[in-house]
Amino acid sequence: MAGFSELIKNFDKTRDYVRDFFIYGCKVRSDFDRKSVRTYGDEKRRVESWMGDSMRYDDSVRGRSVSISVDSGHIPENPLYNAYYSKSFTDNDIRLHFLIIDILEDGGSRTLREITDILNADYGQLFDEQTVRNKLREYADEGMVIAEKQGKTLCYLLSPDRADDYVRDIAGLADALGFFSETPHFGIIGNSIMKMLGLKNELFFIKHNYMIHTLEDVLVPEILEALNGKRYISFCTFSGRRKKTPDEPGRQNQTVPMQILVSVQTGRRYLAAYIPALKRFSAFRLDYMKNVKAGDICGEYDEIKEMYDRSKPRVFGVSFGMRRDTGAVAPMRITFFADEKREPYIIERLEREKRCCTLEKTGEDLYTLTADVFDPNELMHWAKTFIGRIVSIEGGADSVRQRFYSDIAKMNRMYGGDEDEHIQ
């Protein structure tokens, strides 16, 4: 029977476990329905070994739930980065890594055949040329090795760039690394460099740090590469609302990526993309995506991008609704009450948060927001935060207005109305 190991082969699987059980923190062992209970135990032990003192245990009638609990404003390093340092490797991987570095350490350039012969003659290691070629190509892509043509022959030499040299020679670079190691979008890269150099972040603590989205960084490079190359991408999606588990394949999607969007309210990240099969744009949550793969070049990319740029100003959040075109949509007009003398902060908030809408004064202490957006439901979620100040709602889809009135009626039934006036 194989022993327990902290190293993992498939990061997607670990990403699912960490998200569902240790970030959301609402599931217990009995909710685990993927493979065996021992698998749950192994994953739990892995996360505990990575997170250390960041683990929290809560007991209830359903059982014990385990979650990650940290105050981002009091920790110098995102603990979820540890999951990226746990990928397993074979003996040949690690052996070939150090041997290639040792062969090229003198600064000279060598051909593939020369490197393979040295491995055999000087180190007594038999590697076929294809294995060595793949490793050299991988290192060339990552910038560790420089591949250059000398005549018709491709030669390899070790890159002279060293992170420790840059940090030593450039004033303030170490502090910059400390800052960017804790910011969203590839903070893991800064953290990796700091670990390699033995540096620690002792200056920057971010109070509102959406650190859980670190788990999505594994998807972003492939998406950006496809976006820059104007290519299609395919990926699987799953939803926390469906009974289908992330271990199952999920729904396949083929799209043309446009932009990665970040919510200023929740920190969630979305991929805005065009769906050729439906001829419309949509947004996909990155934490519900997996198995991202770049495809062929999209010949109509520039035309689709122009359509996206025309559509984007009419997106209040991330939703493009169900529309397939950029035709006229009946604008919605919402009038708010705000006392100009005693409540200027309400007016300031309306102006600050109106996004793509327009705001104008339409009466004494009355301000009307005009929204010509694709999905007015997103707008209404925001407008309800001004509940009690909404004077009227006009225009837009009847269904959206009726849903608002229905919600108000339900709230009135739940919390009481005029019959409570006698309560002192």
Side-chain angles (χ1 to χ4, degrees):
M1 182 178 295
F4 167 75
S5 173
E6 292 184 4
L7 302 180
I8 57 175
K9 293 181 180 180
N10 187 344
F11 183 80
D12 279 341
K13 184 176 72 171
T14 295
R15 174 175 169 247
D16 295 336
Y17 289 129
V18 173
R19 180 190 59 244
D20 292 351
F21 283 87
F22 305 112
I23 289 180
Y24 297 158
C26 56
K27 291 187 178 182
V28 297
R29 184 169 182 168
S30 59
D31 295 322
F32 184 82
D33 54 2
R34 310 172 204 166
K35 300 184 179 180
S36 66
V37 175
R38 180 186 173 188
T39 302
Y40 170 82
D42 287 347
E43 295 297 336
K44 176 173 173 289
R45 288 161 63 190
R46 282 194 185 97
V47 176
E48 287 175 331
S49 68
W50 298 337
M51 302 304 163
D53 297 334
S54 301
M55 301 301 296
R56 174 178 174 178
Y57 304 88
D58 295 305
D59 294 314
S60 67
V61 293
R62 296 180 58 244
R64 167 168 285 195
S65 62
V66 186
S67 59
I68 300 169
S69 178
V70 295
D71 183 347
S72 61
H74 291 83
I75 59 172
E77 178 181 308
N78 183 345
L80 291 175
Y81 289 152
N82 290 323
Y84 282 98
Y85 301 126
S86 58
K87 192 177 187 303
S88 63
F89 48 83
T90 66
D91 292 344
N92 278 345
D93 281 335
I94 195 68
R95 185 181 297 116
L96 190 56
H97 168 81
F98 285 108
L99 293 180
I100 288 177
I101 299 299
D102 192 49
I103 292 172
L104 299 179
E105 183 63 32
D106 61 3
S109 63
R110 293 174 176 82
T111 65
L112 171 65
R113 174 61 64 85
E114 289 173 339
I115 295 174
T116 306
D117 290 343
I118 293 173
L119 286 170
N120 182 20
D122 295 356
Y123 297 93
Q125 300 293 324
L126 294 175
F127 289 99
D128 62 84
E129 285 193 4
Q130 187 59 43
T131 300
V132 180
R133 179 185 289 110
N134 291 340
K135 182 63 68 174
L136 290 168
R137 183 183 296 123
E138 175 187 343
Y139 287 176
D141 290 340
E142 294 180 357
M144 296 172 56
V145 167
I146 298 174
E148 58 183 14
K149 281 285 189 70
Q150 294 184 3
K152 294 183 178 181
T153 305
L154 189 63
C155 295
Y156 301 91
L157 69 155
L158 202 61
S159 172
D161 295 328
R162 297 290 187 274
D164 48 354
D165 293 339
Y166 287 118
V167 171
R168 183 186 64 247
D169 298 337
I170 302 177
L173 184 57
D175 291 343
L177 276 173
F179 175 77
F180 286 106
S181 69
E182 292 305 308
T183 58
H185 321 310
F186 308 121
I188 179 62
I189 296 177
N191 184 266
S192 300
I193 297 173
M194 293 185 70
K195 280 188 180 297
M196 179 182 64
L197 299 177
L199 301 175
K200 292 185 179 296
N201 171 37
E202 298 176 343
L203 296 176
F204 304 102
F205 296 80
I206 303 175
K207 184 176 182 180
H208 300 294
N209 188 2
Y210 300 107
M211 59 176 57
I212 65 173
H213 303 300
T214 297
L215 298 173
E216 303 155 13
D217 286 347
V218 69
L219 307 175
V220 178
E222 195 75 31
I223 294 174
L224 294 181
E225 184 176 355
L227 195 154
N228 292 331
K230 301 182 179 181
R231 295 180 178 274
Y232 292 97
I233 62 168
S234 61
F235 53 88
C236 296
T237 55
F238 56 91
S239 171
R241 299 178 182 177
R242 303 200 324 241
K243 292 185 178 180
K244 182 185 291 294
T245 68
D247 279 344
E248 299 179 56
R251 185 177 60 186
Q252 290 285 339
N253 299 271
Q254 185 178 45
T255 68
V256 182
M258 293 286 107
Q259 188 178 17
I260 293 179
L261 307 174
V262 183
S263 170
V264 296
Q265 292 174 304
T266 64
R268 289 193 183 116
R269 292 187 285 183
Y270 299 80
L271 170 65
Y274 181 74
I275 308 175
L278 301 179
K279 296 183 179 180
R280 68 178 180 88
F281 296 100
S282 187
F284 301 87
R285 277 177 57 171
L286 260 62
D287 57 340
Y288 286 160
M289 292 171 54
K290 62 191 303 185
N291 301 331
V292 176
K293 295 180 180 179
D296 297 331
I297 294 176
C298 175
E300 298 81 29
Y301 185 89
D302 292 337
E303 292 82 355
I304 295 173
K305 186 64 166 60
E306 289 180 7
M307 292 170 52
Y308 175 75
D309 291 338
R310 291 197 302 268
S311 300
K312 189 168 59 172
R314 296 167 65 181
V315 178
F316 186 78
V318 297
S319 175
F320 292 83
M322 298 301 293
R323 297 186 58 82
R324 290 175 170 78
D325 55 59
T326 57
V329 178
M332 176 173 283
R333 292 168 55 86
I334 307 175
T335 300
F336 301 90
F337 172 84
D339 190 305
E340 298 177 16
K341 294 182 179 179
R342 293 182 293 180
E343 300 173 324
Y345 56 89
I346 298 296
I347 303 170
E348 292 172 3
R349 185 188 162 202
L350 285 168
E351 188 66 42
R352 184 176 64 249
E353 299 179 9
K354 63 183 175 60
R355 303 185 192 178
C356 57
C357 308
T358 58
L359 183 70
E360 58 182 339
K361 183 177 179 181
T362 53
E364 184 178 355
D365 297 331
L366 296 178
Y367 291 82
T368 299
L369 186 86
T370 302
D372 187 8
V373 296
F374 284 135
D375 191 348
N377 288 303
E378 282 190 319
L379 171 70
M380 293 308 298
H381 291 316
W382 168 80
K384 287 177 183 177
T385 64
F386 294 91
I387 203 71
R389 298 183 176 278
I390 300 177
V391 177
S392 65
I393 302 178
E394 302 172 333
D398 292 340
S399 59
V400 176
R401 297 198 308 275
Q402 292 305 318
R403 180 180 297 175
F404 173 77
Y405 298 142
S406 175
D407 289 344
I408 297 299
K410 289 179 182 178
M411 187 170 62
N412 185 60
R413 290 194 297 270
M414 291 175 63
Y415 298 104
D418 295 338
E419 63 272 16
D420 295 332
E421 290 181 354
H422 66 280
I423 300 176
Q424 300 298 323

